[in-house]
């Protein structure tokens, strides 16, 4: 792709998008836990506390987050996570950020009984397949965040 000029691209759509905005070759971690990084990426809020993450301490942030802004502009917003939505109170917290739907381990177990569980939830491969199957059925435009992806995707 755009990082490997002259080589065969395996991400032509991402390459096209990369020419329309800012891109960074270096990225530094903004948190030591996934939930803290998610809030930083989606809301521009650094959660540097030593205790519980923001999702467990506060149910509403004093800022507008990307999912809410996109929702206000006609996007449907979806969250896919292979673990239970109650982990770090995401089930209550994520809708306050603007997410319409949360697809979690309980949803997958109910609708996809053959999905394999590994470690802390649904296997990455099954979760990705389920997310993309669901995405193909959504109306445009939509925004989703999958905990296995390196960045949010908006189409």
């Amino acid at each position: 792709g755009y990082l490997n000029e002259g080589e065969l691209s395996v991400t032509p759509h991402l390459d096209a998008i990369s020419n329309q905005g800012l891109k960074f070759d270096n990225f530094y971690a903004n948190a030591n836990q996934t939930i803290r990084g998610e809030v930083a990426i989606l809301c521009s809020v650094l959660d540097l506390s030593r205790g519980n993450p923001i999702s467990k301490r506060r149910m509403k942030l004093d800022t507008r987050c990307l999912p809410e802004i996109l929702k206000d502009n006609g996007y449907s917003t979806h969250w896919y996570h292979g673990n239970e939505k109650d982990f770090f109170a995401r089930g209550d917290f994520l809708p306050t950020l603007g997410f319409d739907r949360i697809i979690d381990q309980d949803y997958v177990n109910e609708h996809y009984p053959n999905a394999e569980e590994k470690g802390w939830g649904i296997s990455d491969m099954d979760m990705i397949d389920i997310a993309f199957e669901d995405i193909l059925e959504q109306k445009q435009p939509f925004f989703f965040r999958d905990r296995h992806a390196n960045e949010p995707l908006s189409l």
Side-chain angles (χ1 to χ4, degrees):
Y2 80 91
L3 291 175
N4 300 307
E5 290 185 35
E7 294 184 28
L8 179 63
S9 173
V10 294
T11 58
H13 298 292
L14 289 175
D15 296 342
I17 293 170
S18 76
N19 294 322
Q20 298 174 13
L22 296 174
K23 54 188 174 233
F24 301 91
D25 295 335
N26 295 308
F27 180 80
Y28 298 92
N30 49 28
N32 63 347
Q33 291 177 304
T34 303
I35 185 67
R36 296 174 198 270
E38 293 161 351
V39 171
I41 291 168
L42 297 172
C43 304
S44 298
V45 173
L46 290 177
D47 182 357
L48 302 176
S49 68
R50 291 180 183 241
N52 284 326
I54 288 173
S55 61
K56 291 210 40 130
R57 296 190 325 267
R58 299 176 77 176
M59 277 301 113
K60 180 72 174 136
L61 295 176
D62 297 331
T63 186
R64 286 174 40 100
C65 298
L66 181 60
E68 180 183 10
I69 294 166
L70 290 171
K71 190 167 147 175
D72 288 349
N73 285 280
Y75 282 73
S76 59
T77 54
H78 307 254
W79 180 272
Y80 300 87
H81 195 285
N83 202 330
E84 298 169 348
K85 66 183 174 192
D86 294 331
F87 188 66
F88 282 138
R90 283 182 173 100
D92 294 324
F93 181 68
L94 292 173
T96 72
L97 305 184
F99 283 101
D100 295 317
R101 288 182 67 220
I102 299 172
I103 306 299
D104 73 333
Q105 183 177 14
D106 293 334
Y107 177 93
V108 170
N109 286 337
E110 181 179 336
H111 294 89
Y112 299 89
N114 294 326
E116 183 179 10
E117 291 192 30
K118 287 188 171 185
W120 285 11
I122 305 301
S123 76
D124 291 354
M125 293 308 296
D126 281 346
M127 198 64 212
I128 290 169
D129 288 345
I130 290 164
F132 280 109
E133 180 181 317
D134 187 64
I135 287 165
L136 292 174
E137 296 175 7
Q138 302 307 313
K139 67 177 182 72
Q140 301 276 335
F142 68 89
F143 170 84
F144 84 94
R145 172 70 175 114
D146 175 76
R147 83 166 186 89
H148 305 295
N150 290 330
E151 58 190 59
L153 177 63
S154 172
L155 296 174

